[in-house]
């Protein structure tokens, strides 16, 4: 497929598509504030395209993304099959050694059998029937937070409401004190910056320092649990055997940090993006949260419409030729465009319209296959309870200023969300 016309987001941030190649700068303001203009262009031109800035193929179509997330010929890890030299990878950076250590045993990057072993250990805590029991705690927490600012008439909603709920809930599940939640958020935010395009040396140093502090804290908690076990997930990880073996401390540390980071980051973005979408839609919140079924549908549309994660990469674990004729050598990277897939016009009627009453709702925001988000049931309950409580308690809620997105692509979330009532 060939597209000869360069398409433009703005004079400051052009992107062009030609012969299935794309040039687009994800750190430019016009791009990260509205990547959907870019997605519209690639859907119209070539939903499978080579993104020159990333130097790999990307897939934007809902069907392709959904299938490739499940395709076991692609995986999150490759160094168990090929060396850095074979892949042309640079050696590990000494100044990010601590960050790399946190990634070494993370569920997000492992492949079977290591992934299967670790996931089996923690999965029980996150199944729907177990997290459903947290609903009263989440509702109580949401009301307590709103009590703290309801009389003020205005608030920055992300820090006052969206961030504390998932951070406190996941901290308590693991067995950490609620008053540590915002410190955990700080460490997490600094570490997550490592996933951005074009990370600076200063960002790498800061993420590494955050990793050191985070690991030191988890080690302290591990030592405490060994002295005094409790009924929490951290104790469970330390004491339960998997295939006749216990997890090492390094595995427990990586898993704990992943659960804390992933357990709040995406939910914060989805809460902010969702509240923004609802307020900008002009729809009556009473109708959007009229009952449990409609609340669930509204949250699912928030997750689809403005996803918190926009690209997830995979390695080819073997030489692969896809049905569309594209071929990949073992070790090559592909990008799966979750945010674009959720706006695929061939899958969704009026894909760019926020419609909590749509009948064709679906999304790939939580991934699929063996790396489907383990915390999805918890995230859905947190979002349902938080949003319904917020709009019930503050029926006059409105945007006080125009929300602006953070420069954090692949992630997609707001810098601030100033609201009033």
């Amino acid at each position: 497929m060939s597209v000869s016309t360069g398409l433009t987001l703005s004079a400051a941030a052009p992107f062009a598509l030609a012969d299935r190649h794309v040039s687009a700068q994800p750190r430019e303001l016009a791009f990260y504030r509205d990547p959907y203009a870019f997605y519209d262009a690639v859907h119209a031109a070539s939903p499978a395209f080579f993104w020159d800035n990333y130097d790999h193929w990307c897939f934007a179509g809902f069907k392709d993304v959904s299938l490739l997330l499940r395709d076991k010929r692609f995986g999150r890890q490759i160094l168990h099959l090929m060396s850095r030299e074979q892949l042309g990878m640079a050696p590990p950076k000494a100044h990010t050694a601590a960050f790399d250590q946190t990634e070494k045993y993370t569920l997000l990057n492992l492949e079977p059998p290591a992934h299967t072993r670790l996931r089996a250990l923690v999965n029980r805590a996150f199944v729907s029937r177990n997290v459903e029991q947290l609903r009263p705690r989440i509702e109580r927490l949401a009301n307590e937070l709103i009590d703290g600012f309801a009389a003020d008439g205005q608030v920055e909603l992300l820090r006052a409401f969206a961030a504390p709920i998932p951070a406190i809930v996941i901290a308590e599940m693991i067995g950490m004190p609620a008053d540590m939640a915002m410190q955990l958020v700080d460490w997490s935010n600094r570490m997550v910056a490592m996933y951005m395009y074009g990370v600076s040396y200063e960002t790498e140093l800061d993420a590494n320092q955050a990793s050191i502090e985070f690991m030191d804290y988890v080690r302290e908690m591990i030592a405490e649990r060994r002295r005094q076990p409790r009924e929490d997930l951290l104790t469970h990880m330390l004491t339960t055997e998997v295939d006749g073996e216990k997890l090492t401390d390094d595995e427990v540390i990586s898993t704990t940090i992943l659960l804390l980071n992933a357990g709040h980051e995406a939910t914060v973005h989805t809460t902010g993006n969702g509240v923004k979408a609802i307020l900008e839609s002009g729809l009556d919140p009473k109708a959007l949260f009229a009952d449990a079924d409609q609340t669930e549908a509204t949250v699912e549309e928030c997750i689809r419409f403005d996803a918190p994660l926009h690209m997830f990469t995979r390695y080819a674990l073997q030489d692969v030729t896809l049905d569309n004729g594209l071929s990949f050598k073992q070790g090559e990277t592909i990008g799966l465009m979750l945010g674009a897939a959720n706006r695929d016009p061939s899958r969704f009627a009026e894909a760019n319209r926020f419609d909590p009453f749509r009948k064709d709702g679906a999304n790939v925001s939580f991934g699929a296959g063996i790396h489907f988000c383990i915390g999805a049931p918890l995230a859905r309950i947190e979002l349902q309870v938080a949003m319904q409580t917020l709009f019930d308690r503050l029926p006059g809620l409105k945007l006080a200023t125009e929300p602006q997105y953070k420069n954090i692509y692949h992630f997609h979330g707001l810098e601030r969300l100033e609201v009033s009532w």
Side-chain angles (χ1 to χ4, degrees):
M1 181 177 296
S2 175
V3 180
S4 58
T5 303
L7 300 170
T8 304
L9 280 171
S10 74
F15 67 85
L17 298 90
D19 299 321
R20 302 183 79 178
H21 274 246
V22 169
S23 177
Q25 288 286 352
R27 296 297 297 273
E28 291 199 9
L29 183 146
F31 183 94
Y32 66 76
R33 284 190 176 175
D34 182 19
Y36 298 107
F38 171 60
Y39 300 158
D40 287 345
V42 297
H43 280 307
S46 181
F49 60 94
F50 191 91
W51 197 336
D52 291 336
N53 307 74
Y54 283 100
D55 197 31
H56 61 64
W57 282 88
C58 293
F59 298 83
F62 187 92
K63 182 179 179 180
D64 283 345
V65 170
S66 184
L67 288 173
L68 287 167
L69 284 167
R70 295 172 169 85
D71 193 328
K72 294 182 179 179
R73 297 174 297 176
F74 294 89
R76 287 287 296 167
Q77 187 183 44
I78 191 62
L79 291 176
H80 64 306
L81 298 176
M82 301 176 70
S83 68
R84 284 180 173 272
E85 290 74 21
Q86 289 174 303
L87 292 163
M89 284 186 179
K93 298 175 180 178
H95 67 276
T96 63
F99 176 84
D100 293 341
Q101 178 64 27
T102 69
E103 297 270 284
K104 188 173 182 180
Y105 299 105
T106 177
L107 271 171
L108 193 63
N109 293 338
L110 293 176
E111 290 298 309
H115 176 273
T116 308
R117 172 174 166 265
L118 267 176
R119 182 149 183 147
L121 179 71
V122 297
N123 190 60
R124 187 175 65 186
F126 292 93
V127 296
S128 297
R129 63 180 178 274
N130 287 339
V131 296
E132 183 64 37
Q133 298 173 18
L134 294 172
R135 193 178 288 270
R137 168 58 177 146
I138 299 168
E139 184 174 359
R140 188 166 63 252
L141 178 57
N143 277 297
E144 290 171 355
L145 291 169
I146 294 170
D147 288 343
F149 57 73
D152 298 337
Q154 62 181 32
V155 75
E156 195 289 292
L157 199 67
L158 297 183
R159 187 162 185 86
F161 184 75
I165 291 176
I168 290 172
V169 169
I170 192 64
E172 290 180 345
M173 284 183 69
I174 291 172
M176 297 179 176
D179 60 12
M180 274 295 294
M182 296 314 290
Q183 175 60 70
L184 302 174
V185 168
D186 176 69
W187 286 327
S188 176
N189 288 341
R190 291 160 61 193
M191 293 174 67
V192 164
M194 285 287 281
Y195 301 113
M196 294 192 305
Y197 176 83
V199 176
S200 68
Y201 178 76
E202 290 73 23
T203 296
E204 290 177 337
L205 286 178
D206 188 57
N208 198 67
Q209 182 59 37
S211 301
I212 292 170
E213 295 167 11
F214 210 155
M215 285 193 292
D216 286 347
Y217 179 70
V218 176
R219 286 191 187 98
E220 291 176 10
M221 298 302 296
I222 288 173
E224 183 179 306
R225 286 302 177 278
R226 287 209 167 100
R227 292 191 299 268
Q228 190 173 8
R230 298 183 188 174
E231 290 294 324
D232 56 33
L233 187 52
L234 184 56
T235 302
H236 174 72
M237 286 191 287
L238 289 169
T239 58
T240 301
E241 291 188 358
V242 180
D243 299 329
E245 298 179 3
K246 290 185 178 180
L247 296 183
T248 66
D249 281 8
D250 285 343
E251 288 175 321
V252 172
I253 290 169
S254 281
T255 304
T256 300
I257 289 176
L258 170 66
L259 293 175
L260 286 164
N261 287 356
H264 87 275
E265 188 81 26
T267 307
V268 175
H269 294 328
T270 307
T271 303
N273 297 355
V275 170
K276 171 183 178 288
I278 290 168
L279 294 179
E280 289 181 340
S281 73
L283 297 170
D284 182 3
K286 288 184 179 179
L288 305 191
F289 300 98
D291 54 39
D293 288 344
Q294 185 54 55
T295 295
E296 181 177 332
T298 297
V299 165
E300 290 304 301
E301 177 67 349
C302 290
I303 295 169
R304 180 201 74 86
F305 181 74
D306 207 6
L309 179 64
H310 278 219
M311 186 196 291
F312 209 36
T313 56
R314 290 283 195 277
Y315 292 105
L317 302 180
Q318 62 190 67
D319 292 350
V320 179
T321 298
L322 301 178
D323 291 342
N324 61 11
L326 289 176
S327 294
F328 300 93
K329 295 292 187 183
Q330 184 185 45
E332 286 193 74
T333 299
I334 61 171
L336 305 181
M337 312 294 292
L338 308 183
N342 287 343
R343 296 283 194 101
D344 184 349
S346 70
R347 172 61 178 78
F348 302 100
E350 297 183 84
N352 286 326
R353 183 164 70 93
F354 179 73
D355 180 9
F357 306 103
R358 67 171 59 246
K359 301 303 181 185
D360 58 352
N363 66 80
V364 289
S365 296
F366 291 116
I370 67 167
H371 288 288
F372 179 79
C373 176
I374 198 169
L378 175 61
R380 285 185 160 114
I381 290 174
E382 289 172 336
L383 290 163
Q384 292 164 17
V385 172
M387 287 191 179
Q388 182 171 37
T389 304
L390 180 69
F391 283 100
D392 282 351
R393 289 285 307 274
L394 304 173
L397 199 68
K398 59 185 178 182
L399 295 173
T401 60
E402 182 180 354
Q404 302 295 343
Y405 288 94
K406 296 172 70 174
N407 187 354
I408 54 171
Y409 194 85
H410 313 179
F411 293 95
H412 187 63
L414 298 172
E415 189 82 48
R416 298 173 62 82
L417 183 57
E418 303 282 354
V419 294
S420 61
W421 53 91

